[in-house]
Each structure stands twice: as C-alpha cells, then as structure tokens.
Amino acid sequence: MAGNAEVTFQWTDGGRVPTIGFIGAGNMAKAIGSRIFKSGILGKQAIMVSAPSDRNLGYWQKLGVLTTNDNLQVINHSEIVFIAVKPQYFDDMIRDLKNAGTKLTANKCFVSFMVGKTIRIVKQKLAEITSDVSLLEVIKVMPNTPAMSGAGCTVICHEGKKGEQFENVSNMMKLTGICEEIPESLMNACGALSGSGPAYLYMVIEALADGGVKQGIPRALAYRLAAQTMVGAGKMVLDSGLHPGVLKDEVCSPGGTTITAVHQLEKSGVRAAFIDAIQAAVERSNQLGS
Ligand SMILES: NC(=O)c1ccc[n+]([C@@H]2O[C@H](COP(=O)([O-])OP(=O)(O)OC[C@H]3O[C@@H](n4cnc5c(N)ncnc54)[C@H](OP(=O)(O)O)[C@@H]3O)[C@@H](O)[C@H]2O)c1
C-alpha cells in the first residue's frame, strides 16, 4: 500500500507544469496538497492555498507555498483549483466571489472534493462566476486522509467528454496512493466506503486494542499490533487477489481460537453494522448534495 511518489510524473500539454490552488486549507487539502508538494513536481510558487482564517494557513506557510485569505487570488493564480471546503460552505464561497464581481474569462479546471455535490451542481454554481460555461472543466474526486501517508484511496470522475486537465489531476492523485476512475453514479457509494472508511477502521483499531488491553497488553503495543494487523490484512487482499473469505478461512483452524472469535463477531452483527453504516453515509451524502 505504498504511495506512488517515486513514479515518474507525466504532465499532459507537452510537459508544461500547471499552477494549482486549494480553496480550503484543512484536513483534506493538507493530505493531498502536502503529498503533491513533497513529491517535488511543482515549485513552491506554483501552489496557492486560501482559507477565511489563518487557523490552517500556518501549516502551508511552513511548507513555503503561497497563502491568502482571498479565494479569488487562488482562482486567478491557478489553472487547476481544488475545492476543499465542506459542502455546506460551497454556496457561501460562490456568493462571496459573486459579490466581489468575479467573472472568469479564461479556461479553468475545478476539482471538487465535496461529498454529495454532483458535477452538475458544482458546474451550475461556478457558471454564476464565469463569463462562458464552456471555459469550465469540472472534475470530482473522492480522496481519503491516508493520502497524507501515500496510502490514499481516491476515486475520480468527469462529466461528458474528458477535459484537458483530467489526466494531470488523475496523475497528481496517484502521487497520494491509488486513483480509480468511476462513473459519477457510484461517487456517493465510494465516498461512503473509502472516503469515510478510515474513520470506521480507526474505530476497529481502537476496539481491537481495547480487547488486547483488557487481556493485559500494554496500550501502545496494542495499537501498534492492531494497526499493523489492519495494514497486513489489506495488503494480503491486494497482493494475493484472493477473496477475503478465503484468506479469513486460512486463519481459522477447525475448533480453534479464531473461528471461536469469528462466531462472536457474527453474533454481534458486525457485517450488518458495516453495511448499514455505508448505507447511512450514502443517505447523508444525498442530503448534503441537494
Ligand atoms: N476529511 C475527509 O476524510 C474527507 C474525505 C473525503 C472528502 N472530503 C471532503 O473534503 C472537503 C474538505 O474536508 P476537510 O475534512 O478537509 O474539512 P476541514 O478540515 O474542516 O477544512 C475545511 C477548510 O475550508 C475552509 N473554509 C471554510 N469556508 C470557506 C470559504 N468560504 N472559502 C474558503 N475556505 C473555506 C476552512 O477554513 P479555516 O481554515 O479558516 O477553518 C478550512 O480550511 C469536504 O468537502 C469534504 O466533504 C473529506
């Protein structure tokens, strides 16, 4: 599950390096932006980040990239603009740009991280600050925070014909881990699985560690064992290509300890709990998108 930062980066458009910006400077911008920045494919002046407060901008200033409290500066600076604000704040963001008299007149690619917001809705709002909608390329990505460690999991989609920045954005996301192209109809489901997934799995790590602590394992050791077991199980699924059920059966000796524990998990409805959780997250995505 290593990242792909060592992979030779290929820009489209004859290798010309585009400028990029992030509107929103929080967790997801940091996870993606810092990985792209640390890969060295872009110079410090090629990246600009905005947020209304300075709360998160200090992080970016330490990296040495350009920062501002003015979203319009990011849009003017960047050929590719990542929208990394919470979906609830997108309308405010557009309203402020409109009030500032923004009318974009050059080609611009916007990449939305926003859970629930469809490309059509994002494009409709961006059209309010653009002189001609044909200038807009809108891409949707759903990353997750392990991008920061190069072990991210991103899905990406576009609307209609692929735009000229699609491959550049897809390649940038591959610097943070894997990046799979999907139809937009699967976006909320993938967001519920891999976008939100780290939170569920951190809970599993905590719970496993608590189980270990109850049996006398020192807490710090219990977290290390639980986390590495999770990494190892994921790697086995990816590397072997085997069905997870086959791998599970390999750990369960007849009459043994593991199958006894698996029986307890089944009695607790662990599978149904995850399926229900993903359904709940999809329903919430649908609400946030409307
Ligand atoms: N976190 C995840 O695991 C995850 C996974 C998949 C997708 N996403 C998506 O990624 C996006 C960002 O999430 P996050 O977790 O990074 O949120 P976050 O940590 O709360 O960061 C949000 C950022 O947006 C800034 N902001 C708020 N209103 C703004 C405005 N009007 N203009 C410009 N910036 C504004 C905030 O400014 P301040 O710094 O001043 O507070 C903050 O820097 C969301 O759309 C979310 O759906 C997140």
Side-chain angles (χ1 to χ4, degrees):
M1 282 192 285
N4 298 336
E6 68 281 1
V7 171
T8 308
F9 198 88
Q10 292 289 327
W11 295 109
T12 56
D13 192 13
R16 201 182 57 78
V17 180
T19 43
I20 71 167
F22 289 85
I23 298 183
N27 292 322
M28 198 36 82
K30 284 177 191 164
I32 305 299
S34 66
R35 199 73 197 173
I36 294 173
F37 174 75
K38 286 173 186 163
S39 74
I41 56 162
L42 291 164
K44 290 179 181 173
Q45 302 294 304
I47 309 179
M48 188 185 271
V49 183
S50 67
S53 80
D54 292 338
R55 192 179 12 242
N56 286 296
L57 292 183
Y59 171 89
W60 297 93
Q61 285 153 3
K62 276 192 202 128
L63 289 181
V65 307
L66 303 169
T67 63
T68 173
N69 298 120
D70 180 358
N71 295 338
L72 184 54
Q73 275 190 28
V74 166
I75 293 175
N76 288 336
H77 163 275
S78 315
E79 288 158 87
I80 299 173
V81 180
F82 291 88
I83 305 175
V85 302
K86 295 280 188 200
Q88 302 92 306
Y89 299 128
F90 181 53
D91 287 359
D92 293 349
M93 181 196 122
I94 297 292
R95 189 203 53 224
D96 292 347
L97 286 164
K98 253 168 89 174
N99 290 345
T102 310
K103 267 294 173 209
L104 304 179
T105 54
N107 284 336
K108 198 68 71 180
C109 173
F110 288 89
V111 183
S112 166
F113 289 165
M114 292 177 293
V115 167
K117 296 271 180 218
T118 60
I119 292 180
R120 187 180 56 81
I121 284 176
V122 173
K123 206 169 191 173
Q124 248 170 25
K125 291 302 284 180
L126 289 168
E128 296 178 20
I129 54 158
T130 309
S131 58
D132 175 355
V133 76
S134 70
L135 297 170
L136 291 175
E137 177 178 355
V138 180
I139 294 169
K140 173 138 184 187
V141 299
M142 183 55 56
N144 65 10
T145 48
M148 195 166 243
S149 301
C153 179
T154 297
V155 288
I156 185 167
C157 67
H158 60 89
E159 187 199 46
K161 202 169 147 275
K162 232 176 231 182
E164 61 181 31
Q165 297 290 5
F166 186 85
E167 292 307 329
N168 283 337
V169 173
S170 179
N171 285 337
M172 276 190 264
M173 296 311 300
K174 283 178 188 159
L175 293 170
T176 72
I178 65 163
C179 177
E180 304 262 356
E181 189 177 342
I182 57 160
E184 191 174 14
S185 55
L186 290 181
M187 193 44 92
N188 287 353
C190 291
L193 197 170
S194 52
S196 305
Y200 322 146
L201 298 179
Y202 296 140
M203 288 170 72
V204 173
I205 290 173
E206 263 197 298
L208 286 175
D210 279 348
V213 169
K214 190 170 183 214
Q215 300 303 320
I217 302 174
R219 187 160 282 281
L221 175 61
Y223 286 136
R224 286 201 300 279
L225 297 181
Q228 180 59 32
T229 301
M230 175 114 22
V231 170
K235 205 162 159 40
M236 281 292 281
V237 173
L238 291 176
D239 292 352
S240 71
L242 291 172
H243 188 288
V246 171
L247 292 167
K248 181 211 75 189
D249 288 354
E250 282 175 1
V251 191
C252 294
S253 324
T257 53
T258 311
I259 193 66
T260 308
V262 164
H263 181 208
Q264 278 301 322
L265 287 169
E266 295 289 12
K267 278 201 286 190
S268 307
V270 70
R271 290 173 195 258
F274 279 114
I275 294 168
D276 284 348
I278 288 186
Q279 185 166 326
V282 168
E283 284 164 10
R284 180 66 182 139
S285 296
N286 293 339
Q287 285 169 358
L288 288 170
S290 54

